[in-house]
C-alpha cells in the first residue's frame, strides 16, 4: 500500500478544462463553432465538447468489423533517471476481440476486476504511483487503425452529421480541403485508438502544431492533461532544466522540443506546476469530444478498455502557428506533413474572390498569413540579390510539387539550388554560406501573387501584423544574415529585384493559374498590376491596382481612366482584348472563355 495523499495534487492543483454544450443549430457547422470558442478555450490548451447528437448504431458493431491491427507495448514505468522516458516497442497483431480479452485479463490480474475498478481520480493516483515506482507491468495500445468508425447510415444522426470526423478535412472552413495528396493517417483520414487500463500517450504537440479532436466511442474514461500553447516554451525549458538535466544529455544539434516530439517523456503534472507551468485536465466520457489547440502539449492515459477516434485539422486560427512551426521545423530539419505554403496561397484565392468587402475575422487571419508569407519570400530574395548580385539567377519553377531536400517543406512559392547542392532547398534555411553561383526558382505567377499581397496590406490590421513579423525576423537567428543587406538600404515592400526575363516569353497557362471564370463572369488578376476584369454581357469593369484605372463598357461606350498607361482595352460587345506591354500576355474573353 502507499499513501494516496502524496498524490493530492491531482484533485487540489490540476484544474479542470472548460466544457461546452453546443446547441443543435451550432452543431451544423463544427469548425465555425470551434472558432467561436477558440479564444476562450485555447487559454487552457484543451476543452471538452458534449454534442446534443446521439449515435443510434452502436460503435461496437463498427469496431468488430475490423481485422487484425498492430499494437504497441510500453512498460508501466517512467525512468526518471533518464528524462522520464517511456519506451514503446512493436507488439503482435490482434483483432479487436483479442485486444479486449487481453485488456480484461490484465485488469483482473492487477485489481481483481475487469471493469468498474474505481473512480477516475482514484485511478489517477494509482497510475502515477505505478508509473513512478517501476512496476514490472506492460501495457498494450492499439493505434493507426485506419477505418472510420462512425456509421454513415442515414438513420444515424451522428454519423450523417458534419461531426463525423471523416468529413472534417473537406468542410468549408477546413484548410486541408485544398490538399490534393493521398490520405494522411490521422490528418486527412481519421485514426482509431484502442486503450486498456493505464495505456498512455506521453507529452507531445501535434505535428505542424495542428488542432486535434478526439471522440470517445465506448468504454472506460480517458484522462487528459494539457498545457496552453502560450506556455509551450516554458514547458520545454522546465523539462530541459529539471527533468532531462545532465542525466539525459541531448544529442548534438537537437533541442528539447525535438525530443518531446517523439512522445516519450511522461513526467507527472505536479513537476511542471512546481515550476510555474499551468496544467489542466479533462476526463473524457463516451459520447464526448476532446479538442486540443495548436502547440498545446498534452498527455494522458486510459482507465480501462476504450475505443476512440481522432483526427487533426486546420482552420485560419491555426495559420500563425503553422507559420512558426514551419520555421522551427526548418531549424531542426524535421519533415513536414502539411504543405503550409500551398494551403495559404490557395486559401487566399478563395479570399480574393470575395475581396472588396470588409474582411471578417476569419478572412483577416488568412490575409495576414498570405501577406506575411509573400513578403517574407520577397525580402529573402531581395537580400540574396543584394548580397550576391549578378551571381543570382531567377527562373520559373515547374508546376510539380517540390519539397525541400532538408526539411521537406512544401516550396510552393520559391526554392533555390547551387552547384554543390543541386537538390531543392527552401528559402528558410541559413543561406549566408551559399555559393555565389546559384539559382532561385520562383512561382511563374509571382508578380500576380505579390500584387495581391500588396493590395491586402492596405488593410491596416494586416499591415500591422506584417510589420510585426518583419521586426521578429530581424531578431531571429535564422534570418540574422539578412541584416547586412537590409542595413545597406534600398529595400521597400515588393520593390524591383531582378528582371524576370522569362515573364516576357509566351507560355502556356499553369495548372495553378490565378484566373477564375464562370458562365457569367471573368475575373483576371494581371501580374502587371493585379488588375481585375469583370465581364457580364453588357458590362466590363476593370480595376487596375497599378494605376487604379477603371474601364466601364456598356455596348456602345468605353470609358477608361488610367494613370499607368500600360494597358489597352478594346471592346465590341462580344470580345475583350487586353494587351499589357509589361507581360505581353493576351486575354480574349467571350462571356465564358479565357485564353491566355
Amino acid at each position: 500500500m502507499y499513501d494516496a495523499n502524496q498524490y493530492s495534487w491531482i484533485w487540489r492543483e490540476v484544474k479542470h478544462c472548460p466544457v461546452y454544450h453546443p446547441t443543435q443549430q451550432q452543431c451544423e457547422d463544427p469548425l465555425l463553432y470551434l472558432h467561436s470558442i477558440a479564444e476562450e478555450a485555447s487559454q487552457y490548451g484543451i476543452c471538452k465538447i458534449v454534442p446534443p447528437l446521439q449515435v443510434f448504431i452502436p460503435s461496437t458493431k463498427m469496431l468488430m468489423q475490423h481485422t487484425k491491427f498492430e499494437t504497441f507495448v510500453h512498460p508501466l514505468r517512467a525512468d526518471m533517471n533518464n528524462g522520464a522516458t517511456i519506451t514503446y516497442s512493436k507488439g503482435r497483431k490482434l483483432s479487436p476481440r483479442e485486444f479486449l480479452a487481453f485488456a480484461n485479463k490484465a485488469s483482473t490480474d492487477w485489481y481483481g476486476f475487469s471493469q468498474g475498478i474505481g473512480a477516475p481520480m482514484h485511478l489517477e493516483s494509482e497510475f502515477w504511483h505505478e508509473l513512478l515506482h517501476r512496476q514490472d507491468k506492460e501495457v498494450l495500445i492499439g493505434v493507426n487503425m485506419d477505418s472510420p468508425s462512425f456509421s454513415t447510415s442515414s438513420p444515424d444522426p451522428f454519423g450523417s452529421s458534419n461531426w463525423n470526423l471523416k468529413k472534417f478535412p473537406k468542410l468549408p472552413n477546413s484548410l486541408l480541403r485544398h490538399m490534393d495528396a493521398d490520405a494522411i493517417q490521422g490528418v486527412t483520414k481519421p485514426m482509431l485508438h484502442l486503450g486498456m487500463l493505464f495505456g498512455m500517450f506521453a507529452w507531445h504537440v501535434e505535428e505542424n502544431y495542428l488542432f486535434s479532436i478526439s471522440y470517445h466511442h465506448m468504454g472506460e474514461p480517458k484522462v487528459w492533461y494539457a498545457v496552453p500553447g502560450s506556455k509551450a516554451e516554458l514547458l520545454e525549458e522546465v523539462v530541459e532544466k529539471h527533468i532531462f538535466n545532465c542525466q539525459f544529455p541531448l544529442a548534438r544539434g537537437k533541442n528539447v522540443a525535438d525530443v518531446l516530439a517523439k512522445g516519450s517523456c511522461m513526467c507527472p503534472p505536479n513537476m511542471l506546476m512546481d515550476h510555474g507551468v499551468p496544467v489542466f485536465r479533462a476526463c473524457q466520457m463516451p459520447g464526448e469530444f476532446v479538442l486540443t489547440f495548436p502547440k498545446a502539449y498534452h498527455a494522458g492515459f486510459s482507465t480501462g478498455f476504450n475505443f476512440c477516434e481522432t483526427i487533426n485539422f486546420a482552420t485560419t486560427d491555426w495559420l500563425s502557428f503553422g507559420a512558426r512551426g514551419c520555421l522551427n521545423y526548418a531549424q531542426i530539419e524535421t519533415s513536414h506533413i502539411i504543405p503550409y505554403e500551398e494551403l495559404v496561397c490557395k486559401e487566399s484565392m478563395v479570399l480574393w474572390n470575395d475581396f472588396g468587402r470588409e474582411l471578417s475575422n476569419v478572412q483577416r487571419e488568412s490575409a495576414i498569413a498570405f501577406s506575411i508569407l509573400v513578403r517574407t519570400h520577397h525580402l529573402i530574395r531581395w537580400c540574396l540579390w543584394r548580397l550576391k548580385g549578378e551571381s543570382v539567377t531567377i527562373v520559373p519553377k515547374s508546376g510539380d510539387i517540390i519539397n525541400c531536400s532538408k526539411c521537406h517543406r512544401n516550396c510552393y512559392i520559391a526554392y533555390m539550388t547551387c552547384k554543390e547542392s543541386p537538390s531543392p532547398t527552401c528559402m528558410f534555411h541559413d543561406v549566408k554560406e551559399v555559393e555565389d553561383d546559384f539559382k532561385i526558382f520562383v512561382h511563374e505567377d509571382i508578380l500576380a501573387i505579390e500584387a495581391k499581397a500588396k493590395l491586402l496590406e492596405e488593410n491596416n490590421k494586416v499591415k500591422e501584423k506584417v510589420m510585426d513579423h518583419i521586426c521578429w525576423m530581424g531578431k531571429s537567428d535564422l534570418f540574422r544574415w539578412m541584416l547586412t543587406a537590409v542595413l545597406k538600404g534600398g529595400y521597400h515592400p515588393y520593390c524591383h529585384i531582378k528582371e524576370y526575363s522569362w515573364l516576357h516569353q509566351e507560355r502556356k497557362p499553369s495548372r495553378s493559374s490565378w484566373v477564375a471564370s464562370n458562365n457569367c463572369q471573368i475575373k483576371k488578376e494581371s501580374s502587371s498590376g493585379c488588375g481585375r476584369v469583370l465581364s457580364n454581357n453588357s458590362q466590363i469593369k476593370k480595376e487596375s491596382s497599378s494605376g487604379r484605372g477603371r474601364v466601364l463598357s456598356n455596348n456602345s461606350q468605353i470609358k477608361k481612366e488610367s494613370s499607368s498607361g500600360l494597358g489597352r482595352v478594346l471592346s465590341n460587345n462580344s470580345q475583350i482584348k487586353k494587351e499589357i506591354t509589361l507581360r505581353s500576355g493576351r486575354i480574349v474573353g467571350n462571356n465564358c472563355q479565357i485564353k491566355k
Side-chain angles (χ1 to χ4, degrees):
M1 295 296 292
Y2 65 93
D3 184 4
N5 288 326
Q6 62 182 308
Y7 302 103
S8 61
W9 52 266
I10 293 172
W11 55 85
R12 290 180 179 175
E13 300 176 35
V14 185
K15 297 180 180 179
H16 288 267
C17 71
V19 181
Y20 297 92
H21 295 79
T23 64
Q24 193 81 30
Q25 183 178 2
Q26 290 172 323
C27 281
E28 292 179 3
D29 190 334
L31 296 185
L32 189 61
Y33 176 73
L34 297 182
H35 172 74
S36 71
I37 65 173
E39 183 176 359
E40 177 187 58
S42 62
Q43 300 176 46
Y44 300 84
I46 190 173
C47 71
K48 281 205 312 181
I49 299 170
V50 184
L53 304 171
Q54 292 185 357
V55 177
F56 286 177
I57 300 178
S59 299
T60 50
K61 182 177 180 180
M62 306 299 295
L63 173 62
M64 293 308 170
Q65 294 177 4
H66 290 274
T67 56
K68 292 192 174 185
F69 55 89
E70 291 185 349
T71 62
F72 287 86
V73 183
H74 67 77
L76 190 55
R77 63 176 180 273
D79 189 351
M80 299 306 295
N81 293 321
N82 192 26
T85 55
I86 301 294
T87 304
Y88 293 87
S89 58
K90 203 169 183 178
R92 65 184 188 274
K93 288 188 175 182
L94 298 175
S95 69
R97 284 187 174 85
E98 290 170 334
F99 187 95
L100 175 60
F102 180 91
N104 287 341
K105 183 178 185 305
S107 299
T108 302
D109 291 344
W110 298 345
Y111 292 99
F113 300 94
S114 61
Q115 297 178 359
I117 299 171
M121 279 195 175
H122 166 70
L123 289 174
E124 278 187 75
S125 60
E126 289 283 332
F127 170 77
W128 290 110
H129 177 75
E130 297 267 4
L131 192 71
L132 299 177
H133 291 82
R134 302 189 180 190
Q135 299 298 313
D136 295 326
K137 297 176 182 177
E138 287 189 335
V139 178
L140 279 181
I141 54 174
V143 296
N144 300 333
M145 299 170 63
D146 61 1
S147 297
S149 60
F150 281 107
S151 170
T152 55
S153 176
S154 56
D156 193 323
F158 210 145
S160 58
S161 76
N162 285 333
W163 288 89
N164 184 335
L165 298 188
K166 187 178 181 180
K167 298 182 180 181
F168 258 54
K170 298 301 181 182
L171 290 177
N173 291 310
S174 168
L175 297 181
L176 302 185
R177 73 189 189 279
H178 299 301
M179 290 182 63
D180 298 326
D182 295 333
I184 303 175
Q185 192 73 358
V187 178
T188 58
K189 190 175 183 181
M191 184 165 59
L192 307 184
H193 302 266
L194 286 182
M196 62 171 285
L197 181 62
F198 299 153
M200 75 185 85
F201 51 101
W203 290 104
H204 68 286
V205 294
E206 299 299 316
E207 290 195 77
N208 288 90
Y209 303 154
L210 291 166
F211 284 89
S212 79
I213 186 166
S214 175
Y215 181 75
H216 192 319
H217 282 280
M218 57 165 288
E220 300 299 314
K222 193 172 186 177
V223 177
W224 297 67
Y225 304 102
V227 173
S230 59
K231 301 297 182 181
E233 286 80 7
L234 178 58
L235 178 145
E236 293 166 2
E237 180 183 332
V238 170
V239 169
E240 184 172 12
K241 289 183 178 179
H242 301 286
I243 297 176
F244 287 176
N245 206 354
C246 298
Q247 299 171 334
F248 187 65
L250 296 173
R252 186 175 181 179
K254 299 294 183 181
N255 60 27
V256 65
D258 190 35
V259 176
L260 287 172
K262 295 178 172 59
S264 59
C265 175
M266 194 60 176
C267 61
N270 64 318
M271 292 184 69
L272 300 174
M273 293 186 293
D274 288 345
H275 295 93
V277 180
V279 180
F280 300 92
R281 73 188 294 275
C283 183
Q284 185 185 19
M285 309 297 287
E288 297 178 345
F289 286 97
V290 163
L291 176 69
T292 66
F293 288 85
K295 211 177 179 181
Y297 276 97
H298 51 283
F301 67 95
S302 297
T303 62
F305 174 79
N306 56 32
F307 170 39
C308 300
E309 182 173 358
T310 304
I311 197 169
N312 290 120
F313 67 94
T315 62
T316 54
D317 293 315
W318 164 80
L319 287 170
S320 61
F321 293 94
R324 194 59 57 88
C326 284
L327 295 179
N328 291 347
Y329 277 36
Q331 286 181 299
I332 61 177
E333 299 186 355
T334 299
S335 298
H336 302 250
I337 61 171
I338 296 297
Y340 175 79
E341 290 190 8
E342 183 177 358
L343 296 186
V344 170
C345 289
K346 287 184 175 180
E347 185 68 13
S348 75
M349 293 176 68
V350 177
L351 171 66
W352 194 257
N353 291 335
D354 295 328
F355 189 74
R357 308 172 187 172
E358 183 67 24
L359 294 178
S360 66
N361 291 335
V362 173
Q363 291 174 324
R364 188 179 298 113
E365 289 299 319
S366 178
I368 289 170
F370 175 68
S371 298
I372 286 176
L373 175 65
V374 178
R375 176 82 86 88
T376 301
H377 268 282
H378 181 271
L379 180 57
I380 292 174
R381 288 200 311 279
W382 183 88
C383 288
L384 284 170
W385 170 69
R386 186 75 167 170
L387 293 174
K388 304 293 184 178
E390 294 305 316
S391 65
V392 178
T393 303
I394 302 179
V395 295
K397 78 180 190 70
S398 68
D400 297 331
I401 298 174
I402 302 295
N403 293 321
C404 174
S405 59
K406 292 185 177 180
C407 68
H408 301 282
R409 177 190 177 107
N410 172 244
C411 302
Y412 186 78
I413 292 181
Y415 66 90
M416 60 185 176
T417 64
C418 63
K419 287 184 178 180
E420 292 298 322
S421 180
S423 299
T425 303
C426 74
M427 313 298 289
F428 295 87
H429 293 283
D430 191 344
V431 297
K432 62 178 180 295
E433 302 297 334
V434 75
E435 294 182 8
D436 287 341
D437 186 14
F438 68 98
K439 290 183 179 180
I440 299 177
F441 295 79
V442 299
H443 195 290
E444 57 185 351
D445 289 327
I446 187 64
L447 294 180
I449 292 172
E450 289 178 349
K452 287 183 178 181
K454 183 178 180 180
L455 192 57
L456 288 173
E457 282 187 38
E458 292 181 4
N459 182 289
N460 290 332
K461 291 185 178 180
V462 174
K463 184 176 182 179
E464 179 184 348
K465 291 294 185 179
V466 172
M467 294 309 300
D468 287 345
H469 179 78
I470 298 299
C471 291
W472 172 84
M473 288 176 65
K475 301 175 184 178
S476 170
D477 292 338
L478 184 62
F479 300 104
R480 194 68 51 89
W481 64 272
M482 295 168 57
L483 289 177
T484 303
V486 173
L487 290 175
K488 289 182 178 180
Y491 178 78
H492 59 86
Y494 306 110
C495 59
H496 174 77
I497 296 179
K498 188 173 183 178
E499 188 66 29
Y500 299 136
S501 59
W502 44 272
L503 286 178
H504 297 287
Q505 303 172 4
E506 283 290 336
R507 58 187 176 87
K508 296 179 181 180
S510 65
R511 288 180 297 175
S512 59
S513 179
W514 288 48
V515 179
S517 74
N518 53 40
N519 289 334
C520 64
Q521 187 182 51
I522 300 173
K523 180 182 279 189
K524 163 79 165 54
E525 290 93 29
S526 168
S527 63
S528 63
C530 198
R532 185 163 48 168
V533 180
L534 305 181
S535 175
N536 192 333
N537 288 340
S538 62
Q539 187 181 48
I540 306 165
K541 184 177 183 180
K542 174 172 183 286
E543 300 172 357
S544 170
S545 63
S546 60
R548 296 292 185 268
R550 178 180 295 176
V551 180
L552 301 178
S553 175
N554 195 340
N555 292 338
S556 62
Q557 185 182 29
I558 302 176
K559 183 178 181 181
K560 180 183 179 191
E561 302 169 2
S562 174
S563 60
S564 65
L566 294 176
R568 185 160 49 120
V569 181
L570 303 177
S571 174
N572 61 4
N573 291 340
S574 63
Q575 188 181 52
I576 304 168
K577 186 183 227 179
K578 182 186 176 196
E579 300 174 358
I580 299 178
T581 59
L582 181 63
R583 188 171 178 177
S584 297
R586 184 170 60 180
I587 305 170
V588 178
N590 191 348
N591 294 342
C592 63
Q593 187 179 33
I594 298 178
K595 291 183 180 178
K596 182 180 177 187

